[in-house]
Amino acid sequence: MNKTSQSTKDLYKNLIFLVASGIVLIAATVAWFAQNSSTNVDAIGAEVKAYDPVQINYFRCNDSYETLASRDGIPGSVSLYDRINANWTASDSSIDISSMYPGQFFSYKMVVSNTANNLSLKFKSVTCTATTPPSASASATDTDELLSAVKVDAMATVKPSGGSETERVSLVSTNMYALYSNPTLLTIAGSVSSTDTITFYFDIYLPGGDSSIDYEAFRESGAVISIAEVAAET
């Protein structure tokens, strides 16, 4: 379905995806520089599936990068201690970014319970579109460039019933363009008990200081990065 946003408020409304606990797959759309009131957005739908009794709860971090990274007393990197002790707020969706600028950092977690299977965290069908070419010589490479610029870090932990949350998969780093080719961020290795709780932490950020990318051109083009499904699946 195609919709044309007439204001920023309309765009924000179109990008909200409400998801109940127990839903494994969720659609998400990330609009870059969405304050552009003339932006046209193609809403990308996705099938949403619930697998009972699997439960997933979503959280977003309220800390700035500096605050998050300093919770363990060691600034400059985000450790598991930083993440466990961060200021988290329950969310209705796995991603709720409506706009992004160079230097911004967003951190999320998905808490999965009641599953006895190994799980992979996947960002499926990642695409980037623009309503008008971002440059005079626009081609697929232009949007690929923006996908490559958006970084994604992820890690996974397992917490046995009555036990402590321990790292199962150490931090992995990738970008949206790599996820366009291969949606899997990471996979839990080894058996997982049905009483264990799996937590996927992931960060989405756009580093500042990259003068090789014309972000203003992308802003004016109404560039939108879409993720059809964020999935925790076997």
Side-chain angles (χ1 to χ4, degrees):
M1 179 184 297
N2 293 330
K3 295 184 179 179
T4 300
S5 299
Q6 298 180 351
S7 66
T8 303
K9 182 183 294 186
D10 292 334
L11 177 58
Y12 290 162
K13 289 180 180 178
N14 291 338
L15 297 180
I16 296 174
F17 295 84
L18 300 179
V19 193
S21 175
I23 292 179
V24 173
L25 305 182
I26 178 171
T29 301
V30 181
W32 310 105
F33 311 107
Q35 80 286 0
N36 183 356
S37 61
S38 64
T39 298
N40 294 322
V41 178
D42 289 332
I44 299 179
E47 185 177 11
V48 179
K49 299 179 181 178
Y51 296 93
D52 185 53
V54 172
Q55 295 181 342
I56 295 185
N57 294 312
Y58 303 100
F59 300 85
R60 58 179 174 81
C61 184
N62 296 318
D63 293 341
S64 66
Y65 174 80
E66 290 76 13
T67 300
L68 177 62
S70 299
R71 287 190 175 275
D72 61 357
I74 305 174
S77 62
V78 181
S79 66
L80 176 58
Y81 181 94
D82 291 327
R83 296 178 187 279
I84 291 175
N85 292 280
N87 180 15
W88 296 99
T89 296
S91 177
D92 290 324
S93 61
S94 60
I95 299 174
D96 56 1
I97 301 171
S98 58
S99 64
M100 193 176 221
Y101 298 86
Q104 284 191 302
F105 179 93
F106 300 86
S107 190
Y108 300 92
K109 71 177 179 179
M110 296 168 55
V111 181
V112 186
S113 57
N114 294 339
T115 177
N117 297 308
N118 296 347
L119 292 177
S120 292
L121 177 63
K122 298 183 178 182
F123 278 34
K124 294 185 173 182
S125 301
V126 174
T127 59
C128 182
T129 59
T131 57
T132 57
S135 68
S137 59
S139 65
T141 303
D142 293 288
T143 51
D144 290 352
E145 184 178 42
L146 184 56
L147 284 171
S148 297
V150 180
K151 309 303 181 183
V152 182
D153 293 345
M155 68 182 302
T157 66
V158 174
K159 180 180 180 181
S161 177
S164 300
E165 187 175 345
T166 57
E167 186 175 306
R168 178 62 67 91
V169 179
S170 58
L171 192 70
V172 296
S173 298
T174 185
N175 59 66
M176 287 291 184
Y177 182 72
L179 295 173
Y180 167 81
S181 304
N182 179 6
T184 302
L185 275 79
L186 54 83
T187 300
I188 292 286
S191 61
V192 176
S193 169
S194 60
T195 59
D196 292 343
T197 298
I198 298 171
T199 300
F200 292 112
Y201 294 97
F202 55 94
D203 312 317
I204 301 174
Y205 57 100
L206 189 60
D210 188 347
S211 59
S212 65
I213 298 178
D214 189 348
Y215 291 112
E216 179 63 17
F218 278 107
R219 184 193 71 80
E220 293 177 353
S221 74
V224 173
I225 292 178
S226 297
I227 305 139
E229 296 175 351
V230 177
E233 64 181 29
T234 57

PDB file of all heavy atoms in Angstrom, residues 159-180:
ATOM      1  N   LYS A 159      19.957 -16.479  30.493  1.00  0.00           N
ATOM      2  CA  LYS A 159      19.777 -16.441  31.944  1.00  0.00           C
ATOM      3  C   LYS A 159      18.952 -17.647  32.367  1.00  0.00           C
ATOM      4  O   LYS A 159      17.751 -17.699  32.080  1.00  0.00           O
ATOM      5  CB  LYS A 159      19.081 -15.149  32.363  1.00  0.00           C
ATOM      6  CG  LYS A 159      18.861 -15.033  33.868  1.00  0.00           C
ATOM      7  CD  LYS A 159      18.155 -13.733  34.220  1.00  0.00           C
ATOM      8  CE  LYS A 159      17.935 -13.617  35.719  1.00  0.00           C
ATOM      9  NZ  LYS A 159      17.216 -12.370  36.077  1.00  0.00           N
ATOM     10  N   PRO A 160      19.562 -18.632  33.031  1.00  0.00           N
ATOM     11  CA  PRO A 160      18.792 -19.774  33.528  1.00  0.00           C
ATOM     12  C   PRO A 160      17.828 -19.335  34.621  1.00  0.00           C
ATOM     13  O   PRO A 160      18.025 -18.303  35.267  1.00  0.00           O
ATOM     14  CB  PRO A 160      19.877 -20.702  34.101  1.00  0.00           C
ATOM     15  CG  PRO A 160      21.160 -20.218  33.500  1.00  0.00           C
ATOM     16  CD  PRO A 160      20.993 -18.748  33.300  1.00  0.00           C
ATOM     17  N   SER A 161      16.798 -20.113  34.831  1.00  0.00           N
ATOM     18  CA  SER A 161      15.844 -19.807  35.890  1.00  0.00           C
ATOM     19  C   SER A 161      16.567 -19.760  37.233  1.00  0.00           C
ATOM     20  O   SER A 161      17.247 -20.711  37.621  1.00  0.00           O
ATOM     21  CB  SER A 161      14.745 -20.871  35.928  1.00  0.00           C
ATOM     22  OG  SER A 161      13.858 -20.621  36.987  1.00  0.00           O
ATOM     23  N   GLY A 162      16.473 -18.637  37.915  1.00  0.00           N
ATOM     24  CA  GLY A 162      17.133 -18.501  39.205  1.00  0.00           C
ATOM     25  C   GLY A 162      18.604 -18.170  39.114  1.00  0.00           C
ATOM     26  O   GLY A 162      19.275 -18.042  40.149  1.00  0.00           O
ATOM     27  N   GLY A 163      19.118 -18.015  37.902  1.00  0.00           N
ATOM     28  CA  GLY A 163      20.530 -17.743  37.714  1.00  0.00           C
ATOM     29  C   GLY A 163      20.796 -16.316  37.268  1.00  0.00           C
ATOM     30  O   GLY A 163      19.916 -15.457  37.306  1.00  0.00           O
ATOM     31  N   SER A 164      22.014 -16.072  36.834  1.00  0.00           N
ATOM     32  CA  SER A 164      22.423 -14.748  36.387  1.00  0.00           C
ATOM     33  C   SER A 164      22.515 -14.692  34.869  1.00  0.00           C
ATOM     34  O   SER A 164      22.733 -15.712  34.208  1.00  0.00           O
ATOM     35  CB  SER A 164      23.787 -14.380  36.989  1.00  0.00           C
ATOM     36  OG  SER A 164      23.728 -14.380  38.404  1.00  0.00           O
ATOM     37  N   GLU A 165      22.339 -13.500  34.335  1.00  0.00           N
ATOM     38  CA  GLU A 165      22.437 -13.278  32.890  1.00  0.00           C
ATOM     39  C   GLU A 165      23.906 -13.322  32.479  1.00  0.00           C
ATOM     40  O   GLU A 165      24.727 -12.557  32.976  1.00  0.00           O
ATOM     41  CB  GLU A 165      21.828 -11.919  32.557  1.00  0.00           C
ATOM     42  CG  GLU A 165      21.711 -11.628  31.074  1.00  0.00           C
ATOM     43  CD  GLU A 165      20.994 -10.309  30.823  1.00  0.00           C
ATOM     44  OE1 GLU A 165      20.355  -9.784  31.756  1.00  0.00           O
ATOM     45  OE2 GLU A 165      21.087  -9.813  29.687  1.00  0.00           O
ATOM     46  N   THR A 166      24.249 -14.246  31.596  1.00  0.00           N
ATOM     47  CA  THR A 166      25.637 -14.398  31.166  1.00  0.00           C
ATOM     48  C   THR A 166      25.739 -14.302  29.645  1.00  0.00           C
ATOM     49  O   THR A 166      24.818 -14.664  28.923  1.00  0.00           O
ATOM     50  CB  THR A 166      26.224 -15.752  31.615  1.00  0.00           C
ATOM     51  OG1 THR A 166      25.417 -16.813  31.093  1.00  0.00           O
ATOM     52  CG2 THR A 166      26.270 -15.851  33.123  1.00  0.00           C
ATOM     53  N   GLU A 167      26.856 -13.814  29.200  1.00  0.00           N
ATOM     54  CA  GLU A 167      27.067 -13.610  27.770  1.00  0.00           C
ATOM     55  C   GLU A 167      27.141 -14.945  27.049  1.00  0.00           C
ATOM     56  O   GLU A 167      27.897 -15.832  27.414  1.00  0.00           O
ATOM     57  CB  GLU A 167      28.366 -12.836  27.564  1.00  0.00           C
ATOM     58  CG  GLU A 167      28.656 -12.434  26.139  1.00  0.00           C
ATOM     59  CD  GLU A 167      29.892 -11.569  26.051  1.00  0.00           C
ATOM     60  OE1 GLU A 167      29.956 -10.540  26.751  1.00  0.00           O
ATOM     61  OE2 GLU A 167      30.803 -11.931  25.282  1.00  0.00           O
ATOM     62  N   ARG A 168      26.341 -15.107  26.002  1.00  0.00           N
ATOM     63  CA  ARG A 168      26.385 -16.314  25.181  1.00  0.00           C
ATOM     64  C   ARG A 168      27.038 -16.007  23.832  1.00  0.00           C
ATOM     65  O   ARG A 168      27.778 -16.819  23.297  1.00  0.00           O
ATOM     66  CB  ARG A 168      24.986 -16.882  24.979  1.00  0.00           C
ATOM     67  CG  ARG A 168      24.924 -18.128  24.074  1.00  0.00           C
ATOM     68  CD  ARG A 168      25.707 -19.302  24.637  1.00  0.00           C
ATOM     69  NE  ARG A 168      25.136 -19.827  25.842  1.00  0.00           N
ATOM     70  CZ  ARG A 168      24.237 -20.813  25.879  1.00  0.00           C
ATOM     71  NH1 ARG A 168      23.822 -21.371  24.744  1.00  0.00           N
ATOM     72  NH2 ARG A 168      23.759 -21.241  27.013  1.00  0.00           N
ATOM     73  N   VAL A 169      26.728 -14.855  23.278  1.00  0.00           N
ATOM     74  CA  VAL A 169      27.363 -14.424  22.029  1.00  0.00           C
ATOM     75  C   VAL A 169      27.930 -13.028  22.253  1.00  0.00           C
ATOM     76  O   VAL A 169      27.201 -12.107  22.610  1.00  0.00           O
ATOM     77  CB  VAL A 169      26.362 -14.396  20.857  1.00  0.00           C
ATOM     78  CG1 VAL A 169      27.052 -13.921  19.583  1.00  0.00           C
ATOM     79  CG2 VAL A 169      25.732 -15.767  20.642  1.00  0.00           C
ATOM     80  N   SER A 170      29.243 -12.889  22.089  1.00  0.00           N
ATOM     81  CA  SER A 170      29.880 -11.594  22.305  1.00  0.00           C
ATOM     82  C   SER A 170      29.491 -10.619  21.206  1.00  0.00           C
ATOM     83  O   SER A 170      28.926 -11.002  20.183  1.00  0.00           O
ATOM     84  CB  SER A 170      31.403 -11.748  22.358  1.00  0.00           C
ATOM     85  OG  SER A 170      31.884 -12.333  21.163  1.00  0.00           O
ATOM     86  N   LEU A 171      29.786  -9.356  21.426  1.00  0.00           N
ATOM     87  CA  LEU A 171      29.343  -8.289  20.536  1.00  0.00           C
ATOM     88  C   LEU A 171      29.823  -8.512  19.110  1.00  0.00           C
ATOM     89  O   LEU A 171      30.998  -8.747  18.864  1.00  0.00           O
ATOM     90  CB  LEU A 171      29.861  -6.940  21.044  1.00  0.00           C
ATOM     91  CG  LEU A 171      29.236  -5.708  20.388  1.00  0.00           C
ATOM     92  CD1 LEU A 171      27.787  -5.561  20.835  1.00  0.00           C
ATOM     93  CD2 LEU A 171      30.032  -4.457  20.752  1.00  0.00           C
ATOM     94  N   VAL A 172      28.886  -8.445  18.169  1.00  0.00           N
ATOM     95  CA  VAL A 172      29.208  -8.514  16.749  1.00  0.00           C
ATOM     96  C   VAL A 172      28.792  -7.194  16.109  1.00  0.00           C
ATOM     97  O   VAL A 172      27.825  -6.566  16.527  1.00  0.00           O
ATOM     98  CB  VAL A 172      28.490  -9.691  16.051  1.00  0.00           C
ATOM     99  CG1 VAL A 172      28.968 -11.012  16.619  1.00  0.00           C
ATOM    100  CG2 VAL A 172      26.980  -9.575  16.189  1.00  0.00           C
ATOM    101  N   SER A 173      29.541  -6.758  15.122  1.00  0.00           N
ATOM    102  CA  SER A 173      29.281  -5.482  14.462  1.00  0.00           C
ATOM    103  C   SER A 173      29.039  -5.690  12.976  1.00  0.00           C
ATOM    104  O   SER A 173      29.741  -6.473  12.327  1.00  0.00           O
ATOM    105  CB  SER A 173      30.458  -4.520  14.667  1.00  0.00           C
ATOM    106  OG  SER A 173      30.635  -4.230  16.035  1.00  0.00           O
ATOM    107  N   THR A 174      28.048  -4.998  12.453  1.00  0.00           N
ATOM    108  CA  THR A 174      27.749  -5.089  11.037  1.00  0.00           C
ATOM    109  C   THR A 174      27.120  -3.764  10.601  1.00  0.00           C
ATOM    110  O   THR A 174      27.225  -2.764  11.293  1.00  0.00           O
ATOM    111  CB  THR A 174      26.818  -6.289  10.752  1.00  0.00           C
ATOM    112  OG1 THR A 174      26.639  -6.421   9.341  1.00  0.00           O
ATOM    113  CG2 THR A 174      25.471  -6.126  11.425  1.00  0.00           C
ATOM    114  N   ASN A 175      26.486  -3.740   9.439  1.00  0.00           N
ATOM    115  CA  ASN A 175      25.796  -2.540   8.979  1.00  0.00           C
ATOM    116  C   ASN A 175      24.557  -2.955   8.207  1.00  0.00           C
ATOM    117  O   ASN A 175      24.360  -4.135   7.890  1.00  0.00           O
ATOM    118  CB  ASN A 175      26.722  -1.658   8.130  1.00  0.00           C
ATOM    119  CG  ASN A 175      27.249  -2.378   6.909  1.00  0.00           C
ATOM    120  OD1 ASN A 175      26.491  -2.728   6.001  1.00  0.00           O
ATOM    121  ND2 ASN A 175      28.563  -2.611   6.861  1.00  0.00           N
ATOM    122  N   MET A 176      23.710  -1.993   7.889  1.00  0.00           N
ATOM    123  CA  MET A 176      22.446  -2.310   7.237  1.00  0.00           C
ATOM    124  C   MET A 176      22.641  -2.916   5.842  1.00  0.00           C
ATOM    125  O   MET A 176      21.837  -3.739   5.405  1.00  0.00           O
ATOM    126  CB  MET A 176      21.565  -1.056   7.143  1.00  0.00           C
ATOM    127  CG  MET A 176      20.968  -0.611   8.454  1.00  0.00           C
ATOM    128  SD  MET A 176      19.713  -1.778   9.049  1.00  0.00           S
ATOM    129  CE  MET A 176      19.152  -0.896  10.517  1.00  0.00           C
ATOM    130  N   TYR A 177      23.694  -2.514   5.152  1.00  0.00           N
ATOM    131  CA  TYR A 177      23.909  -3.079   3.821  1.00  0.00           C
ATOM    132  C   TYR A 177      24.263  -4.561   3.916  1.00  0.00           C
ATOM    133  O   TYR A 177      23.806  -5.373   3.111  1.00  0.00           O
ATOM    134  CB  TYR A 177      25.001  -2.333   3.075  1.00  0.00           C
ATOM    135  CG  TYR A 177      25.200  -2.860   1.676  1.00  0.00           C
ATOM    136  CD1 TYR A 177      24.246  -2.620   0.686  1.00  0.00           C
ATOM    137  CD2 TYR A 177      26.310  -3.634   1.346  1.00  0.00           C
ATOM    138  CE1 TYR A 177      24.398  -3.126  -0.589  1.00  0.00           C
ATOM    139  CE2 TYR A 177      26.467  -4.141   0.063  1.00  0.00           C
ATOM    140  CZ  TYR A 177      25.514  -3.887  -0.897  1.00  0.00           C
ATOM    141  OH  TYR A 177      25.662  -4.395  -2.158  1.00  0.00           O
ATOM    142  N   ALA A 178      25.069  -4.932   4.906  1.00  0.00           N
ATOM    143  CA  ALA A 178      25.405  -6.346   5.105  1.00  0.00           C
ATOM    144  C   ALA A 178      24.155  -7.143   5.446  1.00  0.00           C
ATOM    145  O   ALA A 178      23.991  -8.285   5.000  1.00  0.00           O
ATOM    146  CB  ALA A 178      26.447  -6.492   6.204  1.00  0.00           C
ATOM    147  N   LEU A 179      23.232  -6.540   6.216  1.00  0.00           N
ATOM    148  CA  LEU A 179      21.987  -7.222   6.561  1.00  0.00           C
ATOM    149  C   LEU A 179      21.050  -7.312   5.366  1.00  0.00           C
ATOM    150  O   LEU A 179      20.186  -8.183   5.313  1.00  0.00           O
ATOM    151  CB  LEU A 179      21.301  -6.508   7.723  1.00  0.00           C
ATOM    152  CG  LEU A 179      22.068  -6.545   9.038  1.00  0.00           C
ATOM    153  CD1 LEU A 179      21.392  -5.669  10.081  1.00  0.00           C
ATOM    154  CD2 LEU A 179      22.205  -7.969   9.544  1.00  0.00           C
ATOM    155  N   TYR A 180      21.219  -6.415   4.410  1.00  0.00           N
ATOM    156  CA  TYR A 180      20.469  -6.497   3.153  1.00  0.00           C
ATOM    157  C   TYR A 180      20.832  -7.792   2.421  1.00  0.00           C
ATOM    158  O   TYR A 180      19.975  -8.449   1.837  1.00  0.00           O
ATOM    159  CB  TYR A 180      20.801  -5.280   2.296  1.00  0.00           C
ATOM    160  CG  TYR A 180      20.346  -5.359   0.861  1.00  0.00           C
ATOM    161  CD1 TYR A 180      19.032  -5.085   0.497  1.00  0.00           C
ATOM    162  CD2 TYR A 180      21.249  -5.706  -0.146  1.00  0.00           C
ATOM    163  CE1 TYR A 180      18.630  -5.154  -0.825  1.00  0.00           C
ATOM    164  CE2 TYR A 180      20.853  -5.775  -1.471  1.00  0.00           C
ATOM    165  CZ  TYR A 180      19.537  -5.504  -1.803  1.00  0.00           C
ATOM    166  OH  TYR A 180      19.142  -5.574  -3.111  1.00  0.00           O
TER     167      TYR A 180
END
